[in-house]
Each structure stands twice: as structure tokens, then as C-alpha cells.
Amino acid sequence: MTVRPLLFLIFLLLLVAAGTATAQTAADQAELSVNGPDGAQLFVDGKPAGTLPISENLVLPAGAHRFRLEKGTLKAESDVLSLQGNRHAELNLTMTGRNLVAVLYITPGLLLHLQPPGLPPELVARLTQAVGAAARQGHAVLISGAKEAALLRRESELERCLTGGACDALFGQDSDVAYVLSVRLEREPATQAVSRLGIDLLDVRTNDFSARAAEPVGVARTDALAGQLKQLATRLLQETEQRPRT
């Protein structure tokens, strides 16, 4: 074998290894938002992770971790907590003397389904941003990236989920998707301007539509439409969380 084919083979092997490592990394990491007393120093597995409040979410390997807070002369450490891969979680830390009370909450995921297809990319981006903000207010997280693309590609299963509540085939029993927010933009036939905004919130955990809303659109500008969608989505998530589940 000559040198050039050998180098090319090594290059291909490195590319395959890098792709495998990237896929494993996505599956083996957890995203964590941390809440606790302002000004406290946060340590994860003995290593400094910042001063609370921390605006950015932590990205940690899935598995067991221990958290410690230090504030003034007080130091408190949590028990070992286990984080699941490819999930978003919220950690609330409270110092009680030398004890650290840690409450770990797996954040429910929300999948956004925008209709009709073919909306302008700028409009899609602004509406997605608005729904993401509403999800955070409701202690949920917007499903995005490769996971979102993979779910939205399964159109027939998604349609059955939205029309009949048959969501197990799409999400499975172990999925972190708790909600599907279906957003419809209706246009005036004559002008094609967006005239009405309708949204349905499907609670995947109970397989039914927990809340619905529809409103006329006052101003069809992108920023105004995004603001209106954020308000509606926030209200529907609040209504869903407050309703009793059987």
C-alpha cells in the first residue's frame, strides 16, 4: 500500500471516529439549569462552576454528580444526584446550615408544530423564539436541533398524534416530550396577510388537548405576531399545569 492511500484511509477512520464521538456526546450529556441563593459559589464534583445566579445552563455528562454551595463561612453539599442523558433538568438548591437540600426536576419538553408549511424562515425563527420563551416561563424546554427535525419528519405519526392523541408510536413511553404545541397561521384569501392565530396544546402525558385558543391578529408584523403567540402559549401552559390530572 502506498503512502497516499494509507493517509486517506487514516483520514476516513478519523472522520468516522469523530462522528461517533459527536453522536455519543449528544446522547451522553445533560443540560442543567441551577437555582439557589444569590452570591453562592457553585461547585460540581468538587470543581468551581460559577457564582449564582448562573444565566447559562450547565452541560454535564450523564450520570452521578455531587453539588456544593459555599457562601461566606457556610459550606453545604448535596447527596449524589443522577442526570439522564439527552435531557434538560432544573436543580433547585437550598442551604439549611451545613445541609444542602437539592430538588432535581426533569424539565418537560415541548415540540412546536407550525402550520402552514413554507412559512418565511425569519417568521419561523421569531415564532420559535417566542414559544421558547413561553416554555421557559412554564418550566418547560423547547425541543430543538436534531431531535426536533427527526420528530417533525415523521409527518404521518405526528398527524395521528395531533388528530387522535395516539402519540406513543411517535414519542415512546420514555420520551421527555410532554407537550406538542400546534400553531396555525390563517391568511386572508384576498391579501394573504395573516389574519388569525390558532394554537392547540396537546398534553402527551394524558393524550388529550389540554388547552386551545384562537385570536384575530391585530398587526401582522413579525414582532407583533411573535409577541401575541408568546402570550397565548404562556397562558395555555399555565392552564395545563393548573388543571387536575386523572
Side-chain angles (χ1 to χ4, degrees):
M1 182 179 291
T2 63
V3 173
R4 182 170 295 175
L6 178 60
L7 289 175
F8 180 69
L9 178 59
I10 293 173
F11 177 70
L12 285 178
L13 290 172
L14 288 173
L15 283 179
V16 171
T20 303
T22 301
Q24 289 174 343
T25 298
D28 295 343
Q29 287 183 336
E31 189 173 351
L32 185 69
S33 57
V34 181
N35 303 311
D38 288 357
Q41 300 287 323
L42 173 66
F43 295 80
V44 181
D45 301 325
K47 298 177 182 178
T51 302
L52 299 180
I54 298 174
S55 58
E56 297 292 329
N57 292 337
L58 303 180
V59 178
L60 301 173
H65 297 279
R66 192 183 292 272
F67 300 86
R68 186 172 85 246
L69 289 183
E70 296 185 5
K71 188 172 185 180
T73 59
L74 294 177
K75 296 181 181 181
E77 192 166 65
S78 73
D79 294 330
V80 174
L81 301 175
S82 181
L83 300 179
Q84 299 179 20
N86 202 24
R87 295 287 179 95
H88 184 285
E90 181 178 323
L91 178 62
N92 295 304
L93 299 171
T94 305
M95 297 180 77
T96 57
R98 295 192 175 279
N99 296 320
L100 185 62
V101 178
V103 178
L104 186 64
Y105 173 69
I106 303 301
T107 311
L110 182 147
L111 178 67
L112 174 61
H113 180 243
L114 280 173
Q115 292 291 324
L119 294 171
E122 180 187 355
L123 178 59
V124 170
R126 289 288 287 114
L127 296 181
T128 301
Q129 185 181 29
V131 171
R136 286 192 297 274
Q137 282 186 240
H139 298 283
V141 61
L142 185 66
I143 302 296
S144 60
K147 179 183 287 188
E148 175 197 26
L151 289 170
L152 293 179
R153 276 197 299 269
R154 297 165 65 179
E155 293 180 11
S156 59
E157 291 169 275
L158 182 58
E159 185 65 24
R160 285 196 294 272
C161 176
L162 291 171
T163 55
C167 301
D168 286 350
L170 180 62
F171 300 121
Q173 297 292 335
D174 248 356
S175 175
D176 55 338
V177 178
Y179 307 110
V180 179
L181 187 72
S182 179
V183 177
R184 302 177 310 282
L185 302 182
E186 300 175 13
R187 298 179 182 273
E188 287 287 351
T191 63
Q192 287 299 299
V194 177
S195 59
R196 192 169 182 81
L197 176 63
I199 63 176
D200 299 326
L201 182 63
L202 175 68
D203 190 337
V204 176
R205 298 165 294 187
T206 56
N207 279 334
D208 69 342
F209 283 97
S210 57
R212 284 186 163 102
E215 289 184 355
V217 173
V219 180
R221 291 197 312 268
T222 298
D223 54 348
L225 192 57
Q228 187 175 0
L229 176 58
K230 180 185 174 184
Q231 289 182 349
L232 282 175
T234 299
R235 193 184 84 206
L236 265 61
L237 283 167
Q238 289 173 345
E239 290 176 3
T240 296
E241 281 305 300
Q242 290 167 2
R243 74 173 190 153
R245 288 195 183 91
T246 57

